[in-house]
Amino acid sequence: MHAKKNQKIVVLATGGTIAGTAASATDHTGYTAAQLGVQQLLDAVPALNDALQGDALVCEQVVQLDSKDMDHATWQALAQRCAHWLAQPEVGGIVITHGTDTLEETAWFLQQVLETTKPVVLTCAMRPATALAPDGPQNLFDAMAVVRHPMAHGVLAVCAGRIHNARDVQKVHPYRLDAFSSGDAGSRGWVEQGNVRWADPGSWPLRHANAQQALERPVAQWPWVAVLHNHTNPDARQVHALVAAGVQGIVLAGTGNGTVHHSLLAALTQAQDQGVAVRLTTRCAEGQIVGAISALPTAPRGLNAFKARISLMLDLMG
Ligand code: SIN
């Protein structure tokens, strides 16, 4: 699904660590929150214009405070600014920069009082803007990807590549960058390389196109699909042996983001050339391969190796 285009995105700034500064780049705790203005926050994200793909940005400094000092009057003013902008037809959504300490409260308040289906995305930072490696610019960049996504609606929070619902988000760590959790509900989604991946994409067909074949074909005639893993010093002879024995498909659980030892990659590429269907996934228990990183085709939908084996077997029944 492609991002909406030629709309207005409004950035409302409220302060927080994302706008904080310290005397030293290595100081992550002894800083002063709410020092930089909204334009300075946006200027720190050089890739922003490309990512906006023609969308216009409007920004407003609603307030400049450390969110420990958030109060009802500020909430009301912020909600009124949100309501004002959301009522404009050309506005696609709002990004709010906010301190992490009370972000979850503001998110829920806004969710409760705003009447809109447009997205309102709160984002933040755990390190001040002056840190050696500040997290604010990336979080702001990610929030832009979420606010522009056609499936985004309601009040969301984006931090450290995770998307949270206003209902579930909670700050759970006082220091680490990935400071928020949605508890049992889990993240609504993730932002990877500027792309949004929803936990529930909503549009996958549940039944495989070749399902009927699996119900009717004798199991002895089901395609043979094997699972292999990449690891230190893998032996490519296992691929050759499988091909010689007549394997029709191989799912490889690669290391990390789907990396494959060069000897195994050569053997799998050769197997592909010989007509074996090869799919790549990751042996990591969480996440999925991001980007097109290999000559080998990636298993669909971020399936793990064992589920990718089933899908490939069904594919090959067609
Ligand atoms: C704040 O909540 O404004 C300061 C702390 C933070 O943003 O991490």
Side-chain angles (χ1 to χ4, degrees):
M1 204 173 274
H2 297 291
K4 294 169 274 184
K5 284 198 175 140
N6 302 321
Q7 58 189 344
K8 222 178 238 177
I9 301 297
V10 179
V11 183
L12 302 180
T14 70
T17 295
I18 191 168
T21 57
S24 153
T26 53
D27 195 346
H28 292 167
T29 56
Y31 60 88
T32 309
Q35 300 301 299
L36 303 183
V38 61
Q39 194 55 54
Q40 287 167 290
L41 302 190
L42 293 169
D43 290 346
V45 191
L48 199 54
N49 268 344
D50 293 342
L52 284 170
Q53 296 179 10
D55 282 358
L57 273 189
V58 182
C59 53
E60 260 184 40
Q61 189 77 45
V62 177
V63 68
Q64 185 68 295
L65 51 70
D66 186 318
S67 80
K68 72 180 175 52
D69 296 325
M70 186 55 74
D71 55 34
H72 292 173
T74 307
W75 269 359
Q76 191 179 54
L78 181 60
Q80 284 167 352
R81 292 315 294 154
C82 288
H84 163 81
W85 285 113
L86 292 168
Q88 320 286 320
E90 73 278 15
V91 168
I94 296 177
V95 170
I96 300 175
T97 58
H98 198 288
T100 60
D101 285 349
T102 60
L103 180 146
E104 68 214 52
E105 296 178 43
T106 301
W108 183 237
F109 173 71
L110 293 176
Q111 179 68 80
Q112 292 280 277
V113 303
L114 295 177
E115 191 187 357
T116 180
T117 55
K118 295 179 185 177
V120 175
V121 181
L122 284 92
T123 195
C124 55
M126 289 298 290
R127 290 181 182 162
T130 46
L132 269 181
D135 53 328
Q138 182 70 56
N139 285 343
L140 193 46
F141 184 75
D142 290 350
M144 291 292 177
V146 174
V147 80
R148 296 183 67 252
H149 196 281
M151 278 176 62
H153 58 86
V155 180
L156 302 166
V158 170
C159 181
R162 290 178 193 268
I163 307 167
H164 303 271
N165 267 334
R167 155 75 176 76
D168 303 303
V169 68
Q170 191 179 350
K171 187 172 179 180
V172 293
H173 201 282
Y175 186 76
R176 73 177 187 218
L177 301 187
D178 192 4
F180 288 87
S181 166
S182 288
D184 285 349
S187 305
R188 268 288 306 281
W190 301 268
V191 193
E192 297 157 337
Q193 287 270 111
N195 296 315
V196 177
R197 174 165 65 92
W198 297 104
D200 176 11
S203 57
W204 287 343
L206 294 177
R207 194 163 188 259
H208 194 282
N210 299 332
Q212 201 57 31
Q213 302 265 12
L215 297 181
E216 290 167 3
R217 191 186 286 196
V219 293
Q221 292 169 23
W222 285 16
W224 175 20
V225 178
V227 173
L228 298 178
H229 288 76
N230 191 50
H231 49 77
T232 303
N233 212 82
D235 194 328
R237 285 177 298 181
Q238 58 192 324
V239 177
H240 302 316
L242 284 167
V243 175
V247 79
Q248 289 149 282
I250 297 175
V251 174
L252 181 80
T255 28
N257 194 32
T259 53
V260 186
H261 187 277
H262 59 82
S263 64
L264 209 48
L265 182 60
L268 288 166
T269 306
Q270 191 184 342
Q272 266 196 148
D273 293 344
Q274 292 171 276
V276 177
V278 178
R279 298 288 180 273
L280 179 64
T281 179
T282 171
R283 71 179 208 185
C284 293
E286 296 179 16
Q288 63 183 59
I289 293 174
V290 176
I293 48 90
S294 170
L296 302 176
T298 302
R301 305 175 181 186
L303 292 175
N304 72 23
F306 311 107
K307 294 182 183 181
R309 185 191 76 86
I310 298 167
S311 288
L312 181 53
M313 193 169 59
L314 287 162
D315 288 349
L316 293 174
M317 286 187 196

